[in-house]
Amino acid sequence: KQEVTQIPAALSVPEGENLVLNCSFTDSAIYNLQWFRQDPGKGLTSLLLIQSSQREQTSGRLNASLDKSSGRSTLYIAASQPGDSATYLCAVRERGGSNYKLTFGKGTLLTVNP
Amino acid sequence: DAGVTQSPTHLIKTRGQQVTLRCSPISGHKSVSWYQQVLGQGPQFIFQYYEKEERGRGNFPDRFSARQFPNYSSELNVNALLLGDSALYLCASSLQGMGNTEAFFGQGTRLTVV
């Protein structure tokens, strides 16, 4: 059974700091991994999708890496801003019989202080 | 282009009642999935529909049911509501039903059972 873990559960940083969020998964047989942002009480906004054959993806100040063999992904946020404050979730889509669904971690709550 | 739209955004129901939640996918997307997110947890998979057929079901009781219409919109029904059904219900749309596909989420429906 696929399990996704995100560390840390919460992170508070001053504005301007570079930071890394971690995601690990137990079964490396995946199609892709997605990083999402969730504001309080809101839906999920897709930030980055990394295919299993890719090592990293970049969008603006965000860079996500994937090491499928070790079951790890990181989301790097450069020059953090107060507007980056949100919960960040990672999710994997497995190969095999359960490829119709995403398995999520519990998320990392990020607070960027002005 | 409109993203994934869900209705209603909030509702309050009494224990034992029934509720119907609605979702319209992104234009051209044929797959709709439903997820339940309780406070402090990652979303949990409930159902996936592709081309109007159920392709996957999560570990939820039979009180939960869903369907997809010819225009690819979807409804999630929950009967005999329990206090524990209080959660944010998220709908996701994707081009493909499974495999290497990207998911896009709506803003969610906040259900409170009293």
Side-chain angles (χ1 to χ4, degrees):
Chain A
K1 176 188 172 188
Q2 179 75 262
E3 292 183 1
V4 179
T5 303
Q6 292 188 244
I7 294 174
L11 181 64
S12 180
V13 301
E15 182 177 1
E17 195 162 292
N18 302 325
L19 58 100
V20 174
L21 307 181
N22 297 291
C23 171
S24 62
F25 47 96
T26 54
D27 187 341
S28 61
I30 64 170
Y31 277 112
N32 57 49
L33 182 146
Q34 274 186 268
W35 282 94
F36 295 91
R37 169 187 172 134
Q38 185 174 33
D39 293 301
K42 304 295 184 183
L44 308 184
T45 300
S46 182
L47 297 173
L48 289 164
L49 170 77
I50 311 180
Q51 312 283 2
S52 63
S53 58
Q54 296 176 318
R55 299 286 294 192
E56 64 179 73
Q57 278 283 7
T58 298
S59 175
R61 294 182 294 109
L62 305 179
N63 176 277
S65 67
L66 175 64
D67 184 343
K68 194 179 65 169
S69 60
S70 67
R72 294 181 182 181
S73 177
T74 60
L75 178 67
Y76 174 83
I77 302 177
S80 58
Q81 303 171 358
D84 295 331
S85 298
T87 297
Y88 291 80
L89 293 152
C90 71
V92 297
R93 188 178 295 273
E94 300 176 45
R95 292 183 179 272
S98 298
N99 61 15
Y100 47 77
K101 68 175 183 178
L102 291 171
T103 302
F104 283 85
K106 292 183 178 181
T108 294
L109 176 61
L110 172 65
T111 303
V112 181
N113 301 299
Chain B
D1 284 343
V4 180
T5 57
Q6 293 186 242
S7 63
T9 55
H10 297 84
L11 74 166
I12 300 173
K13 291 286 188 178
T14 304
R15 277 179 297 174
Q17 285 189 316
Q18 175 264 342
V19 68
T20 298
L21 311 180
R22 296 177 175 82
C23 173
S24 292
I26 292 170
S27 177
H29 285 194
K30 299 180 178 180
S31 171
V32 170
S33 300
W34 289 95
Y35 291 79
Q36 181 197 64
Q37 186 180 27
V38 299
L39 203 60
Q41 301 293 314
Q44 296 293 315
F45 172 76
I46 310 175
F47 285 110
Q48 195 253 351
Y49 277 78
Y50 179 68
E51 288 282 19
K52 293 153 283 185
E53 290 189 12
E54 181 185 305
R55 301 300 178 101
R57 172 184 285 252
N59 189 23
F60 280 80
D62 292 343
R63 299 184 295 106
F64 289 76
S65 64
R67 55 179 174 168
Q68 187 176 33
F69 299 98
N71 66 354
Y72 302 109
S73 66
S74 177
E75 287 183 351
L76 175 70
N77 295 284
V78 187
N79 293 322
L81 286 165
L82 304 174
L83 295 179
D85 295 330
S86 295
L88 182 67
Y89 288 84
L90 296 163
C91 173
S93 149
S94 59
L95 205 55
Q96 307 288 340
M98 56 196 68
N100 196 9
T101 187
E102 185 173 4
F104 299 88
F105 283 79
Q107 80 281 11
T109 293
R110 169 68 63 185
L111 172 64
T112 302
V113 182
V114 297

